[in-house]
């Protein structure tokens, strides 16, 4: 099978990690943030990493001579929503959409058999769906692609359906060069193939299934632990090593508030407190038997959402967040604390990426 991949907007490597687990080779990746790139390089030492802006990569044709079967990545969509009434004429040329434009340019330069375009759920409703229609029409226009076209298949994936204990939704377009498929057939075949290898892959998974064997462990950056649940076994390393379990520190005021919150409750439980909630789930405490809200870039901050540990008076460690995101235990994050939480919160869950990679195997067979 054709199994070479280029990862654009690689971040800490969530998409790459999932594709690697499925047997793909990540031949090149692009990430402009140096701290985040350090994490990527540490975990993907054999990948040619470009620490640069996608604009420079596209304009200098840095990847044009690299052969790749699949291009993966999600250009941030801040500019998409501002396209407004000019969408039909100038969408691809609007400087605010430059991240998408250069993603598209790189695809035109390499012409992979497949691409995976990842984005937030909101892109489906921007400008009443016109943004999404425009994106897909660009890939379907054979006049722009030397007589070729990509058949595009948009789908909103829910991570809970992948046995990930988190209410995250990611919008994915899989593009296929000059070939149509039956989406449902491919989806179900991929599911069947995965169940042969991992019978518990799609089982409903709780927060406690993910993080229970990290509880009561002293604050440390590296240690060995035994996996206890099927989910923990799926993410465990051969040596049992686990990284990045440093416990967040909180102010006395935040700690006093945290202690008042019962499982499943949030800031509305706080008595005689003038807290100005900046998030509806602020100071929310997770329940053992439930799933987490979407892990964000600020899951160490009590006011940032519902990320208080079910049994301890603190928010989640980076590793607990990474577990809920489905990163392997031996995936090590480097950088300052703010960057590490951002890396984890912004990532595509590797377990979801693995499923998408398995779908492409089915299409390619």
């Amino acid at each position: 099978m054709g199994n070479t991949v280029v990862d654009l907007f690689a971040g800490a490597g969530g998409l790459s990690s999932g594709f690697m687990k499925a047997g793909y080779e990540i031949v090149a990746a692009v990430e402009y943030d140096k701290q985040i790139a350090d994490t990527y390089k540490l975990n993907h030492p054999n990948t040619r990493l470009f620490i640069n802006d996608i604009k420079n990569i596209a304009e200098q044709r840095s990847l044009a001579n690299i052969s790749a079967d699949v291009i993966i990545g999600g250009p941030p969509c801040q500019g998409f929503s501002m396209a407004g009434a000019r969408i039909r004429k100038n969408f691809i040329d609007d400087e605010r959409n430059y991240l998408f434009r250069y993603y598209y340019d790189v695809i035109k330069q390499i012409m992979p058999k497949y691409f995976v375009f990842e984005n937030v759920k909101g892109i489906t409703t921007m400008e009443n769906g016109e943004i999404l229609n425009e994106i897909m029409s660009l890939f379907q226009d054979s006049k722009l692609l030397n007589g070729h076209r990509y058949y595009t298949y948009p789908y909103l994936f829910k991570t809970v359906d992948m046995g990930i204990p988190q209410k995250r939704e990611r919008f994915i377009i899989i593009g296929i060069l000059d070939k149509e498929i039956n989406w449902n057939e491919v989806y179900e075949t991929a599911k069947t193939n995965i169940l042969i290898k991992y019978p518990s892959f799609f089982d409903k998974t709780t927060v406690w299934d993910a993080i229970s064997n990290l509880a009561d462990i002293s604050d440390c950056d590296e240690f060995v632990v035994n996996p206890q649940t099927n989910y923990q076994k799926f993410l465990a390393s051969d040596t049992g090593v686990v990284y990045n379990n440093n416990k967040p520190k909180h102010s006395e005021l935040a700690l006093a508030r945290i202690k008042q919150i019962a499982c499943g409750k949030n800031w509305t439980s706080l008595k005689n407190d003038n807290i100005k909630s900046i998030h509806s789930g602020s100071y929310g405490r997770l329940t053992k038997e439930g799933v987490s809200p979407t892990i964000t870039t600020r899951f160490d901050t009590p006011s940032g959402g519902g990320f208080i540990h079910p049994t301890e008076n603190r928010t989640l460690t980076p590793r607990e967040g990474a577990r809920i995101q489905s990163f392997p235990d031996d995936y090590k994050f480097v950088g300052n604390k703010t960057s590490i939480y951002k890396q984890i919160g912004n990532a595509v869950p590797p377990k979801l990426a693995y499923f998408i990679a398995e779908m492409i195997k089915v299409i390619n067979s």
Side-chain angles (χ1 to χ4, degrees), residues 76-100 119-120 122-123 125-132 134-135:
C77 63
Q78 290 93 327
F80 294 170
S81 59
M82 299 187 287
R86 302 196 313 279
I87 183 168
R88 277 288 152 201
K89 289 185 181 172
N90 297 330
F91 176 81
I92 194 71
D93 298 317
D94 189 324
E95 64 184 25
R96 293 167 298 191
N97 297 323
Y98 84 100
L99 292 169
F100 170 76
N119 227 284
V120 294
I123 197 172
T125 53
M126 285 177 182
E127 304 293 343
N128 297 315
E130 282 300 302
I131 301 286
L132 180 55
E134 180 68 7
I135 287 170

Side-chain angles (χ1 to χ4, degrees), residues 132-194:
L132 180 55
N133 289 339
E134 180 68 7
I135 287 170
M136 293 206 293
S137 72
L138 285 164
F139 288 112
Q140 293 162 0
D141 189 340
S142 59
K143 293 193 292 294
L144 300 174
L145 295 164
N146 299 321
H148 297 281
R149 64 167 292 186
Y150 284 95
Y151 289 90
T152 52
Y153 296 88
Y155 191 78
L156 186 67
F157 283 91
K158 297 181 178 179
T159 54
V160 288
D161 295 340
M162 300 291 134
I164 299 169
Q166 182 186 178
K167 292 177 186 167
R168 195 184 200 95
E169 295 179 321
R170 298 310 286 179
F171 176 73
I172 303 285
I173 300 172
I174 295 180
I176 307 164
L177 188 64
D178 298 329
K179 180 180 176 181
E180 289 186 88
I181 61 163
N182 180 321
W183 175 270
N184 290 337
E185 202 174 280
V186 169
Y187 188 101
E188 292 303 322
T189 303
K191 205 169 173 180
T192 300
N193 293 347
I194 290 171

